Amino acid sequence: MNVNNIIALGRTAEIISYDNQHILKLFKEDMPMNLIISEFNNTREVYNIGIQCPKPFEIIDYVGRKGIVYKRITGITMLRSIIEDPTNVIAEAKSLADIHLDIHQRLVENLPNQKELLAEQIKHAPLITNQEKDKVLKKLSELSDDCKLCHGDFHPDNIIYSEARHWVIDWMTGMKGTPAGDVARTYLILKLGRISDEIPKEVYEFISQIRNQILENYIKEYLKKSNISMNEVNNWFVPIAAARLGERIPDEEKKELIEVIRNNL
Ligand SMILES: Nc1ncnc2c1ncn2[C@@H]1O[C@H](COP(=O)(O)OP(=O)(O)O)[C@@H](O)[C@H]1O
Ligand SMILES: [Mg+2]
C-alpha cells in the first residue's frame, strides 16, 4: 500500500490502492470518527441484506488517518460513463431511477432513522436562524415515517459499473425512512450540487449542462414506476435542504439551498 497510489478523490476521502483485491477509503483528517463508524456499520448492514455494494472489511489506521478497507470494484462510475458517452444520458438517468427504486423496496431495521438524523442535522445547521430551524423542524415532524432503505446521498458518482453489474457505494448516510425524502435529496443534488471542486473547469461546465437532463429523466422515470407523487417529493425539500447546509459543500450551493428553504417556509 502506498498513500500516493490514489485511485479516486472523493469529497470526504482519498481512495487508494490497498492490494489487487481491495481499496482503502482513507478519510480526511478532520472526519469525525462516529461518521466513519456509521459508514462501516451501514455498509455492512446493506451488504448483509443483499444490496450489491463493496464488502467492507475493517477500519484501520494509516498515516495517522482512519480508513475503511473495501473490496475493490474494477470499473467506472455512472458519472464517468455519462461523461465519456453523453449520448447515453437518458438511458443512464433511467438506470439511476431503477437502481433507486430497487433500493427503496427493501425494508430495514438496523440503520439510523431518517427523521431523527435530519432533525439532528437541522438543529446544527449553519446560516439559518433559530426561528427558521423551528419552522423547518415542524415541517419535518409532519412528514411520514417509513422503514425503507434509503441511501442518503444517491447520485451518479456513487454507482460503479463493473462487468454489466452496478455497485452502490458510499453508505455513510444510509438510513431507514421514507423514499420520497431520499428522492428529494437526489433531486436537490442533481439540481444544485457541485459534483466536485477538483475536476477541471471544462468538465465541470459540461457536467452542468447535462445535469438537467439527468434530473428530468431520473425524476420522470422514478415517478412513473413508483406510487410516489412529485408533491410528496416537494414536501421534503425544505428539511433536506436545511440538513445539507452543514455538509462540506461550496458556499454557492449553500446560498441556493437557503433560497429553497426561504421560498418554501
Ligand atoms: N470499492 C471501490 N472500488 C473501486 N473504486 C472505488 C471504491 N469505492 C470508491 N471508489 C472510487 O472512489 C470514489 C469516491 O468514493 P466514495 O466512497 O464515493 O467517497 P466520498 O464519500 O468522498 O464521495 C468513487 O466515485 C469511486 O470512483
Ligand atoms: Mg461519493
Side-chain angles (χ1 to χ4, degrees):
M1 184 168 47
N2 177 343
V3 74
N4 296 319
N5 203 348
I6 295 176
I7 300 174
L9 288 173
R11 194 160 265 162
T12 64
E14 284 147 15
I15 310 302
I16 65 177
S17 179
Y18 190 75
D19 60 32
N20 281 345
Q21 301 296 321
H22 304 91
I23 59 99
L24 177 68
K25 181 168 179 177
L26 188 60
F27 291 92
K28 297 191 173 160
E29 269 101 356
D30 58 348
M31 182 54 86
M33 189 57 190
N34 63 318
L35 296 183
I36 298 171
I37 293 172
S38 286
E39 174 160 330
F40 184 76
N41 288 341
N42 292 345
T43 315
R44 204 173 40 182
E45 187 65 22
V46 296
Y47 179 83
N48 286 340
I49 64 167
I51 291 287
Q52 190 144 300
C53 64
K55 184 175 182 181
F57 287 90
E58 56 178 337
I59 298 179
I60 64 164
D61 281 298
Y62 183 61
V63 292
R65 289 156 62 184
K66 299 282 178 197
I68 302 178
V69 179
Y70 282 106
K71 178 186 162 65
R72 181 194 284 249
I73 310 298
T74 309
I76 60 166
T77 64
M78 180 186 277
L79 178 64
R80 171 70 34 211
S81 162
I82 296 171
I83 292 168
E84 283 179 6
D85 186 359
T87 60
N88 274 340
V89 64
I90 294 175
E92 297 282 13
K94 287 183 176 177
S95 299
L96 187 69
D98 286 338
I99 298 167
H100 215 183
L101 282 155
D102 180 50
I103 289 173
H104 291 157
Q105 304 248 317
R106 317 287 178 121
L107 288 173
V108 277
E109 276 177 34
N110 303 322
L111 282 182
N113 176 287
Q114 180 184 43
K115 283 169 72 176
E116 287 170 14
L117 267 183
L118 288 171
E120 259 330 283
Q121 288 160 350
I122 293 163
K123 281 178 201 157
H124 294 104
L127 307 169
I128 51 173
T129 65
N130 285 340
Q131 218 181 1
E132 285 171 324
K133 284 184 194 179
D134 287 344
K135 285 191 193 167
V136 177
L137 287 168
K138 182 164 182 298
K139 261 185 180 284
L140 175 68
S141 70
E142 290 159 0
L143 293 168
S144 57
D145 288 288
D146 203 344
C147 288
K148 303 279 172 29
L149 175 60
C150 294
H151 182 279
D153 197 26
F154 190 75
H155 56 69
D157 206 31
N158 278 337
I159 295 167
I160 306 180
Y161 288 134
S162 174
E163 292 161 15
R165 299 168 86 186
H166 65 262
W167 301 74
V168 182
I169 61 167
D170 207 359
W171 288 89
M172 183 178 276
T173 50
M175 56 185 103
K176 65 173 170 205
T178 300
D182 208 29
V183 173
R185 163 102 187 177
T186 297
Y187 190 102
L188 287 179
I189 291 172
L190 289 172
K191 189 147 184 77
L192 310 174
R194 301 331 196 234
I195 287 165
S196 165
D197 306 335
E198 277 143 18
I199 54 178
K201 191 166 177 287
E202 58 281 7
V203 177
Y204 177 83
E205 279 166 9
F206 168 66
I207 291 170
S208 303
Q209 279 172 26
I210 53 172
R211 204 164 56 182
N212 256 340
Q213 269 180 291
I214 303 175
L215 173 59
E216 278 166 23
N217 290 287
Y218 157 79
I219 196 71
K220 203 163 93 188
E221 189 74 3
Y222 189 98
L223 297 178
K224 189 174 89 186
K225 291 185 173 163
S226 72
N227 54 4
I228 294 174
S229 68
M230 192 61 210
N231 229 1
E232 286 172 80
V233 177
N234 280 334
N235 288 337
W236 286 85
F237 282 155
V238 166
I240 294 284
R244 190 159 161 79
L245 286 175
E247 293 176 27
R248 299 158 185 261
I249 53 174
D251 291 346
E252 276 307 300
E253 189 176 342
K254 290 188 183 173
K255 275 191 206 148
E256 298 196 61
L257 289 169
I258 291 171
E259 259 180 56
V260 170
I261 298 163
R262 298 203 167 132
N263 291 339
N264 291 286
L265 264 187

